[in-house]
Amino acid sequence: MAIRANKRITAGSAGASRIRRGIGVRGLMAITAIVPLIGLVAATWISVDDANSVGDEAARLERQARHVQSYTLLDGSLFDEFTLTLIDELGGNFGIEPAMIDMLMGTSLQDDLARVRAATDAALAQVDESALTDVIGDIRSDDMSFDDAERLFGELRTDVRVDLSAAIDDLQRLTTVTSPELVESIELLSSGIGLRAAIAESYFAYFSVMFDVRGDGVSEIRSLVGARADIDSALGILEQSASGRDVAEDPALVAFVASIDRLIDDSLERGVEEQRLGLDLASIVPRIPEIQGAAFVATGEASTNEQINDHADDVVAAAAAIRIDAEAGERRAVLLASALVGLTIVTVLLAARLIVQPLRRLNTEVDRLSTGEAPDQLDRVVGPHEVKAATEAIQRASMHFALATDQARSLATGDLDADVLDRRAEGGLGESLQVAVGRLRQALADQQEFQRRLSHESTHDGLTQLPNRNAAMAQLTRALARTKRSGAQLAVLLLDLNNFKTVNDHHGHHCGDLVLTTIAQRIVNHVREGDFVGRLGGDEFVVIAEPVQGVEDAMELAERLVDVLDDPVAVGDESIELGASVGVALAESAQLTADELLRDADLAVYRAKDVGSSGIEICDEDLRTQFLEATDFATAIRRAIAEDEFIMHYQPIVDTDGYRPRSMEALVRWLRSDTGEMVSPGEFIEFAERSDLIVDLDCWVIDAVVAQLAAWQHDERFAGLPVAVNLSGRHLQHPDVERHVLEPLERHGVDPRLLVIELTESALVNDLAAASTRLRHMREMGVRIAIDDFGTGYTSLAHLRALPVDILKIDRSFVVNAAVDPSEASIVKLIIDAGHLLGATVTAEGIEEPTEAHCLRDLGSDSLQGFFFARPQSAAALEAAAHLVEQPLAVSTDQV
């Protein structure tokens, strides 16, 4: 197309140089003045000839206009009949009662179908095409399948459209009469028919994009965009007339066009296939108003059909008026021509050569410009030089217009690489247009790139460029739908890197990012072709393997990934070893959702981490049962916290000088209200420590203990006795741990020195620096810090020096051995002396025998705790047993 247009411009330019100047208008006027009689005869003959031509053409225009009108009615009624037949067939397929269809459509479907068929029969009778009548009869027969009927409807409408297009072309070719009303009426009629065709195409393309009924989504959206552009083009011409403006402002058409625009925008933004709906009752019913509005616009009830009929009538009326005027002029001219026939013949021949023919040629070029056709060759133009100059100017304007039209079409369709966009027409106007096209082209290219980049970023991880969680969940949902249809299996592999936190802590986040990108590439390189790889966040990756033949396939893939991730990752001069734990979940149940399948893989990976590093576990029914039980247990703990089901017991801690109580340790107990059973602390505390439940439980315990301390300040037996509370390692890492400890003290008005926070060694080693900062702040506020079960963890003396420790509590395992083994006693003595050197007091835990109490007292322990002195009891029991705080605890030095 670009090459042909370029050739036309070249030929036009060459032809312009070959035009020879002829006789001017002045010369012709002089000749006419010299021979007035010849001029009069010539004028008479021209009038007769023109009258005959105009009359014949007007008669042909009348017949052709009625022919076009008949085919237009046939095309519209065929569309209406097909649309109503489609609705009737769909209703039958979905088992919808006719009354329900009538209610949804707001009219009687069968009555409308009978009316439309009658209209089709009437239109067929007007065009008098027996072949079309036979096809219609076949379509309406009861033994014709709907698919065959749909095919024949399509072929029939195509044939009618071809005939209609040919009739329009004939109508335009016949229009050489210079009647503005006639030319305008034909143009409006053609545009109205084009609008009707564009609306019909938009109707089917609109619902083909919305519902998955034909073709692929991309083809359908292209068809819809093209039809939408045709609607605008037709309306642009029609709006030149009052009736056309009424059509353009028709609320039904405006609403339908707005629906098309919304659908195009949504499709470009979210993707066509993502929003296409299945053709079922659930999808159709919510869109009944849209279907009714679109059907009204597209079917014979719309204002476009009235407008087409009006313009066809206008063409007939204008042609008839021209014919009548021509016949009257012919009669007048014949009277004059009968006397001057001889001279008229000579004059007509001369005028046809010098004036009439060039003017008609000029009129032809104007018609070509209006219809966008290629201009004719200038070297064949004869006549006065003014006419030839005007023809040349029209041809140049036509070539400019054709080039601008081709460029606009390429920009509208998004074909920014088209050769036509690089071409420039001659002259200053051509240069200006080329600059404008270039800027618009660049703007559209920038917009496309931005939309592509935005779409990519919304579905991909910015670091690894893998699909993100949202994209992974969408892919998993689609994969599950495919497996349900095909009966195949798929597996979800959740990969969690081991000890990745230490990479960021020890090497920095930049190093951590490099490790993640390397790991992501390894996974992509070692999955099977067609498997999906995504990053869920942090150090978690997901692989969707589809299809798999069973557990063996999934395990083989998991083992391959574990092996490749066990290899060290080289980052600069560093070699970092990580490895990964893998949880595998198979979609064996058709009822599993994407969220449930990912949850199963998550359960499996947690079990894999519990078993050991670089482990692989498959989610089975036992694991799902454990998960449900754990969920129920977690719910019970939350309810117990909310309803104060927990009970605090207190165990005295005595000094070694007379075994008098010097403090207490608070221990939480749980009496379940739903079962009436006492739950072991080891069971619910260990469970709570796996999640943030332990934080909520710690907060409840701290508040309960501080409230008890506030109550004991009014009892001289207990006033001033500090109470120790155990704090979990997870809670120590919580950013609000200081507020959780200090706020209850302030709220209950308790001296912070009466509260002791106990932590195990293992709770400190994860992040020693952060733990030291938080503990030091609490200690500055008056709270004392104790390390529980000292000797069983990993805290070195160097670590102790960095920690604000007030009390060291020696674990019972050392106490038992020290009483019977001198070497163990030496170790305990070393621990006690080291604690004293650090400025801390030492408490020996788990004293159950007199010999143990005697031994630890002699080794230098400052205080003792254990069942030998007192078991943990409720506050009420302690208050009732006054001797526990008023005198030594049930033991004398004679006993030990």
Side-chain angles (χ1 to χ4, degrees):
M1 176 66 184
I3 295 174
R4 290 198 298 272
N6 193 38
K7 289 181 177 178
R8 289 200 299 271
I9 292 177
T10 302
S13 300
S17 64
R18 293 195 295 270
I19 296 178
R20 294 175 296 175
R21 298 178 63 84
I23 300 175
V25 174
R26 290 181 179 179
L28 294 177
M29 291 179 63
I31 294 173
T32 305
I34 294 171
V35 191
L37 182 59
I38 297 175
L40 177 60
V41 173
T44 304
W45 176 256
I46 292 172
S47 297
V48 173
D49 183 65
D50 287 345
N52 285 326
S53 299
V54 169
D56 294 340
E57 181 180 343
R60 291 195 298 271
L61 283 173
E62 283 186 74
R63 293 193 298 273
Q64 195 64 22
R66 297 189 187 280
H67 190 59
V68 168
Q69 190 174 32
S70 298
Y71 267 98
T72 301
L73 293 174
L74 178 59
D75 179 59
S77 63
L78 284 174
F79 177 83
D80 297 348
E81 182 171 347
F82 172 70
T83 302
L84 296 177
T85 303
L86 174 62
I87 294 173
D88 187 38
E89 182 68 17
L90 289 176
N93 291 343
F94 293 136
I96 305 176
E97 294 294 330
M100 178 62 72
I101 296 176
D102 293 346
M103 182 184 70
L104 293 175
M105 296 300 297
T107 183
S108 172
L109 177 61
Q110 294 304 320
D111 291 346
D112 289 347
L113 188 57
R115 175 180 54 78
V116 168
R117 286 178 175 174
T120 301
D121 293 339
L124 282 171
Q126 291 183 17
V127 299
D128 192 23
E129 287 286 347
S130 58
L132 298 180
T133 304
D134 294 339
V135 174
I136 286 293
D138 293 338
I139 291 175
R140 294 175 180 173
S141 63
D142 294 335
D143 56 351
M144 175 68 67
S145 67
F146 179 76
D147 290 340
D148 289 338
E150 180 183 11
R151 176 180 55 78
L152 289 177
F153 256 124
E155 294 173 357
L156 182 60
R157 293 193 66 238
T158 299
D159 292 341
V160 171
R161 286 288 174 85
V162 170
D163 293 340
L164 180 58
S165 177
I168 288 291
D169 291 341
D170 291 339
L171 188 63
Q172 292 175 335
R173 281 196 297 271
L174 291 173
T175 310
T176 59
V177 178
T178 55
S179 168
E181 294 82 6
L182 179 61
V183 173
E184 180 184 4
S185 297
I186 293 176
E187 184 180 19
L188 292 175
L189 173 60
S190 177
S191 299
I193 293 171
L195 176 62
R196 173 60 190 267
I199 290 174
E201 180 57 28
S202 299
Y203 179 78
F204 289 110
Y206 175 79
F207 291 105
S208 296
V209 172
M210 180 180 295
F211 300 102
D212 190 5
V213 296
R214 71 174 189 186
D216 62 281
V218 174
S219 299
E220 293 300 334
I221 195 65
R222 286 177 180 167
S223 177
L224 184 59
V225 170
R228 176 65 178 87
D230 291 341
I231 290 176
D232 283 345
S233 177
L235 287 176
I237 297 174
L238 290 173
E239 287 178 345
Q240 298 174 11
S241 68
S243 61
R245 286 191 293 273
D246 292 339
V247 173
E249 295 170 0
D250 187 352
L253 179 58
V254 171
F256 180 50
V257 170
S259 299
I260 294 175
D261 291 340
R262 286 195 300 273
L263 184 58
I264 292 174
D265 291 343
D266 291 344
S267 300
L268 293 177
E269 180 179 352
R270 297 195 294 269
V272 183
E273 297 297 341
E274 291 293 326
Q275 67 176 21
R276 296 184 84 190
L277 304 172
L279 191 59
D280 52 43
L281 187 59
S283 300
I284 291 175
V285 170
R287 291 164 177 80
I288 287 299
E290 294 181 38
I291 295 173
Q292 289 176 325
F296 178 82
V297 173
T299 57
E301 297 178 2
S303 59
T304 54
N305 291 318
E306 297 177 2
Q307 184 262 348
I308 290 171
N309 290 330
D310 291 342
H311 289 313
D313 291 338
D314 291 342
V315 172
V316 172
I322 293 172
R323 177 177 53 78
I324 293 171
D325 290 341
E327 290 173 355
E330 181 181 0
R331 286 192 295 271
R332 290 191 301 268
V334 167
L335 293 176
L336 180 60
S338 60
L340 303 171
V341 61
L343 185 60
T344 301
I345 293 174
V346 176
T347 304
V348 167
L349 292 175
L350 181 61
R353 176 66 179 172
L354 298 179
I355 298 176
V356 178
Q357 184 177 348
L359 289 176
R360 287 183 176 177
R361 183 63 178 277
L362 180 60
N363 185 65
T364 301
E365 292 303 320
V366 172
D367 289 342
R368 288 179 181 275
L369 178 60
S370 65
T371 59
E373 295 183 43
D376 206 347
Q377 298 296 326
L378 288 174
D379 56 350
R380 292 184 293 170
V381 177
V382 295
H385 64 85
E386 292 89 346
V387 176
K388 290 187 285 187
T391 305
E392 179 184 358
I394 290 173
Q395 287 182 317
R396 289 177 179 173
S398 177
M399 288 184 288
H400 281 54
F401 180 76
L403 177 58
T405 300
D406 292 341
Q407 290 176 334
R409 185 178 296 110
S410 296
L411 292 174
T413 58
D415 186 9
L416 303 183
D417 297 324
D419 295 337
V420 71
L421 296 178
D422 297 322
R423 290 174 43 228
R424 183 174 70 85
E426 297 176 354
L429 177 60
E431 182 178 357
S432 299
L433 288 174
Q434 184 62 22
V435 171
V437 168
R439 290 177 179 175
L440 183 57
R441 182 185 192 181
Q442 184 60 44
L444 290 174
D446 293 343
Q447 183 183 24
Q448 289 179 356
E449 175 60 21
F450 175 74
Q451 290 176 342
R452 184 200 64 77
R453 192 166 62 249
L454 185 64
S455 176
H456 179 83
E457 291 174 356
S458 67
T459 57
H460 286 75
D461 171 49
L463 175 63
T464 63
Q465 295 306 306
L466 292 176
N468 58 19
R469 175 180 287 272
N470 290 336
M473 294 304 294
Q475 174 69 16
L476 183 54
T477 300
R478 292 192 294 268
L480 282 172
R482 286 193 295 269
T483 57
K484 288 177 182 178
R485 291 193 299 267
S486 64
Q489 280 188 316
L490 68 83
V492 175
L493 284 69
L494 188 63
L495 294 83
D496 192 293
L497 302 184
N498 300 325
N499 302 318
F500 177 73
K501 185 177 182 297
T502 61
V503 177
N504 286 332
D505 293 342
H506 297 163
H507 303 281
H509 288 278
H510 176 68
C511 180
D513 291 346
L514 293 176
V515 169
L516 286 174
T517 55
T518 302
I519 292 296
Q521 192 58 49
R522 285 186 184 179
I523 297 173
V524 171
N525 292 341
H526 289 83
V527 295
R528 307 172 310 170
E529 183 177 358
D531 288 346
F532 176 90
V533 180
R535 182 187 178 198
L536 298 182
D539 58 349
E540 286 188 332
F541 297 85
V542 65
V543 176
I544 302 174
E546 178 193 8
V548 295
Q549 299 303 317
V551 177
E552 295 77 9
D553 268 6
M555 287 298 293
E556 180 182 351
L557 177 58
E559 290 168 358
R560 183 164 69 247
L561 293 175
V562 166
D563 290 342
V564 73
L565 297 183
D566 277 343
D567 294 338
V569 178
V571 180
D573 297 333
E574 299 282 345
S575 181
I576 300 174
E577 295 184 0
L578 287 175
S581 299
V582 181
V584 181
L586 269 69
E588 299 173 322
S589 171
Q591 304 303 319
L592 283 177
T593 65
D595 289 331
E596 292 169 341
L597 198 57
L598 192 61
R599 178 209 64 195
D600 288 353
D602 194 45
L603 294 175
V605 82
Y606 269 104
R607 186 163 70 177
K609 282 186 172 293
D610 289 340
V611 172
S613 62
S614 300
I616 302 173
E617 290 291 334
I618 297 178
C619 182
D620 52 20
E621 286 302 321
D622 290 341
L623 190 57
R624 292 190 184 99
T625 301
Q626 293 174 15
F627 170 75
L628 294 176
E629 292 175 350
T631 301
D632 292 341
F633 198 46
T635 301
I637 292 177
R638 289 191 182 92
R639 187 189 66 247
I641 294 173
E643 299 179 2
D644 292 331
E645 290 186 9
F646 291 103
I647 303 169
M648 294 309 304
H649 283 190
Y650 301 88
Q651 185 177 32
I653 302 172
V654 303
D655 59 25
T656 54
D657 184 15
Y659 304 118
R660 294 184 180 275
R662 62 185 303 171
S663 63
M664 296 187 186
E665 180 178 0
L667 301 168
V668 65
R669 300 291 184 264
W670 181 19
L671 180 62
R672 292 191 63 163
S673 61
D674 53 350
T675 63
E677 299 178 351
M678 183 69 75
V679 183
S680 167
E683 182 180 352
F684 69 83
I685 291 177
E686 180 180 353
F687 178 85
E689 284 180 339
R690 298 174 187 170
S691 67
D692 284 344
L693 271 176
I694 192 63
V695 175
D696 297 334
L697 181 58
D698 279 357
C699 289
W700 186 93
V701 169
I702 292 171
D703 188 76
V705 169
V706 172
Q708 186 61 58
L709 281 170
W712 276 342
Q713 298 315 301
H714 305 291
D715 189 332
E716 61 182 9
R717 297 173 300 172
F718 297 93
L721 282 179
V723 177
V725 176
N726 290 283
L727 192 74
S728 73
R730 183 184 289 268
H731 197 175
L732 182 61
Q733 297 173 6
H734 197 281
D736 294 330
V737 62
E738 297 172 34
R739 181 175 61 82
H740 294 165
V741 172
L742 298 176
E743 192 274 334
L745 292 169
E746 181 179 357
R747 179 159 38 87
H748 291 286
V750 174
D751 187 349
R753 290 174 296 180
L754 295 178
L755 182 65
V756 179
I757 295 298
E758 285 193 11
L759 298 133
T760 61
E761 289 184 85
S762 59
L764 300 172
V765 296
N766 287 335
D767 194 343
L768 188 64
S772 176
T773 300
R774 289 166 178 162
L775 293 176
R776 195 174 301 280
H777 184 221
M778 286 189 282
R779 191 170 184 243
E780 290 172 354
M781 300 302 294
V783 177
R784 291 193 287 173
I785 308 300
I787 296 181
D788 196 12
D789 299 333
F790 184 75
T792 61
Y794 306 96
T795 307
S796 66
L797 292 178
H799 290 156
L800 287 177
R801 292 178 61 187
L803 293 170
V805 178
D806 297 293
I807 302 168
L808 287 182
K809 302 186 75 172
I810 303 175
D811 187 68
R812 169 168 168 72
S813 60
F814 292 96
V815 171
V816 174
N817 294 329
V820 296
D821 187 344
S823 62
E824 290 287 339
S826 298
I827 295 175
V828 173
K829 176 64 175 173
L830 179 62
I831 294 173
I832 293 173
D833 291 343
H836 288 161
L837 287 174
L838 293 172
T841 60
V842 179
T843 299
E845 295 183 294
I847 304 296
E848 296 185 2
E849 299 292 339
T851 54
E852 296 169 358
H854 175 72
C855 176
L856 268 296
R857 181 187 62 185
D858 292 345
L859 290 174
S861 179
D862 300 295
S863 54
L864 306 173
Q865 178 182 357
F867 289 171
F868 178 66
F869 303 104
R871 290 181 176 274
Q873 303 177 54
S874 66
L878 280 174
E879 293 168 359
H883 66 281
L884 291 181
V885 292
E886 292 175 345
Q887 60 185 6
L889 294 180
V891 178
S892 66
T893 54
D894 294 338
Q895 290 177 286
V896 297

